[in-house]
Amino acid sequence: RGQPQGVDVLIASRQGVAIAFRAVAQLRRNAGGVPPSFRLAKAFGEELSAAGLAPSGHGARLVGEEDPEEDGAGGRHGFRLSLLPAAEAAVGTTAAADSPIAKVLRVAGGSAKFVPLAKAVATEVARLPDGFVSAVETTLRGKSKNVWTRTYKLAQAVAQAHQWQVAPANDRLVTRRFRCVLEERQSEDEVLDALVDGGSQADKDTDAGSGDFRVLRIILIPEDPLPSARTAR
């Protein structure tokens, strides 16, 4: 949707998140100059339905598979990816997409919840010295459904961390807003081999010989100076 402040993209489903993220990463490769930056927020049932996104259960799902679009209260949720105009991409931050990376967090396979990763994202952003960025990534190697699940967990963690910055639970918490840049790149660390779907040999064999160790990375760029005091979540 075109907006004066940029473009909002509403996303639902694990596959939808993976497709949207890789499309935005492609935008970076095509941009040439300053890479497109965005903010990632939660979106809920009414907003998703108004945009014409099919309700949960209207797509294919494995029998017995937990639906990640449904929260514990039965509510439906997805994401709003807000792309910023090119004029804003290089302003209003304390670092740039090509700034030194202080730490890279990684999403592994398995059934672990996303909240610990979201807390790690929020903590890393809060601690970043001015002029530095952090990143969180997942490997693109493995069976499609497992790549989608890991990418969805990545989105959940970043959107939750964003929510804590813009709407903290209380005014004693020190917040630090951030924006994101997506990139698809060759992995720099062979440890990712052990993180593919919990180290499943079957999934490693699935992609044997096809661009090994490519990852989808979200670069986390602080929009505020380093807080003078921090309260851990």
Side-chain angles (χ1 to χ4, degrees), residues 107-109 138-139 141 146-154 197:
V107 182
T138 187
T139 175
R141 191 174 180 181
N146 293 329
V147 172
W148 299 343
T149 296
R150 291 194 307 272
T151 306
Y152 196 91
K153 189 186 298 184
L154 171 65
D197 309 319

Side-chain angles (χ1 to χ4, degrees), residues 37-122:
S37 59
F38 63 93
R39 300 184 184 97
L40 187 68
K42 297 179 181 179
F44 297 95
E46 185 175 342
E47 184 177 12
L48 297 173
S49 297
L53 294 174
S56 179
H58 285 212
R61 180 150 48 110
L62 297 177
V63 175
E65 180 184 12
E66 181 181 356
D67 188 349
E69 293 181 58
E70 300 291 336
D71 62 25
R76 182 179 178 226
H77 56 83
F79 305 98
R80 185 191 315 109
L81 191 156
S82 299
L83 282 164
L84 301 174
E88 293 184 26
V91 299
T93 66
T94 63
D98 58 355
S99 296
I101 297 178
K103 187 172 184 178
V104 178
L105 303 169
R106 295 187 174 92
V107 182
S111 58
K113 300 299 183 182
F114 71 89
V115 173
L117 180 60
K119 290 182 177 179
V121 167

Side-chain angles (χ1 to χ4, degrees), residues 38-219:
F38 63 93
R39 300 184 184 97
L40 187 68
K42 297 179 181 179
F44 297 95
E46 185 175 342
E47 184 177 12
L48 297 173
S49 297
L53 294 174
S56 179
H58 285 212
R61 180 150 48 110
L62 297 177
V63 175
E65 180 184 12
E66 181 181 356
D67 188 349
E69 293 181 58
E70 300 291 336
D71 62 25
R76 182 179 178 226
H77 56 83
F79 305 98
R80 185 191 315 109
L81 191 156
S82 299
L83 282 164
L84 301 174
E88 293 184 26
V91 299
T93 66
T94 63
D98 58 355
S99 296
I101 297 178
K103 187 172 184 178
V104 178
L105 303 169
R106 295 187 174 92
V107 182
S111 58
K113 300 299 183 182
F114 71 89
V115 173
L117 180 60
K119 290 182 177 179
V121 167
T123 298
E124 287 304 318
V125 170
R127 292 176 175 173
L128 281 172
D130 291 343
F132 283 77
V133 299
S134 189
V136 57
E137 67 183 30
T138 187
T139 175
L140 294 172
R141 191 174 180 181
K143 296 177 182 177
S144 293
K145 69 182 185 68
N146 293 329
V147 172
W148 299 343
T149 296
R150 291 194 307 272
T151 306
Y152 196 91
K153 189 186 298 184
L154 171 65
Q156 287 178 302
V158 172
Q160 181 61 68
H162 168 81
Q163 178 71 16
W164 286 333
Q165 308 317 302
V166 299
N170 60 70
D171 56 13
R172 295 189 302 275
L173 294 172
V174 176
T175 61
R176 193 180 194 188
R177 297 169 304 146
F178 62 91
R179 63 182 62 172
C180 307
V181 168
L182 261 165
E183 64 177 4
E184 187 177 323
R185 58 182 292 134
Q186 194 78 9
S187 171
E188 299 168 351
D189 193 342
E190 291 185 1
V191 72
L192 283 171
D193 191 26
L195 298 181
V196 176
D197 309 319
S200 164
Q201 185 61 48
D203 272 351
K204 295 175 194 175
D205 292 343
T206 299
D207 265 4
S210 58
D212 32 303
F213 301 127
R214 290 199 68 78
V215 298
L216 190 66
R217 172 180 288 183
I218 295 182
I219 300 172

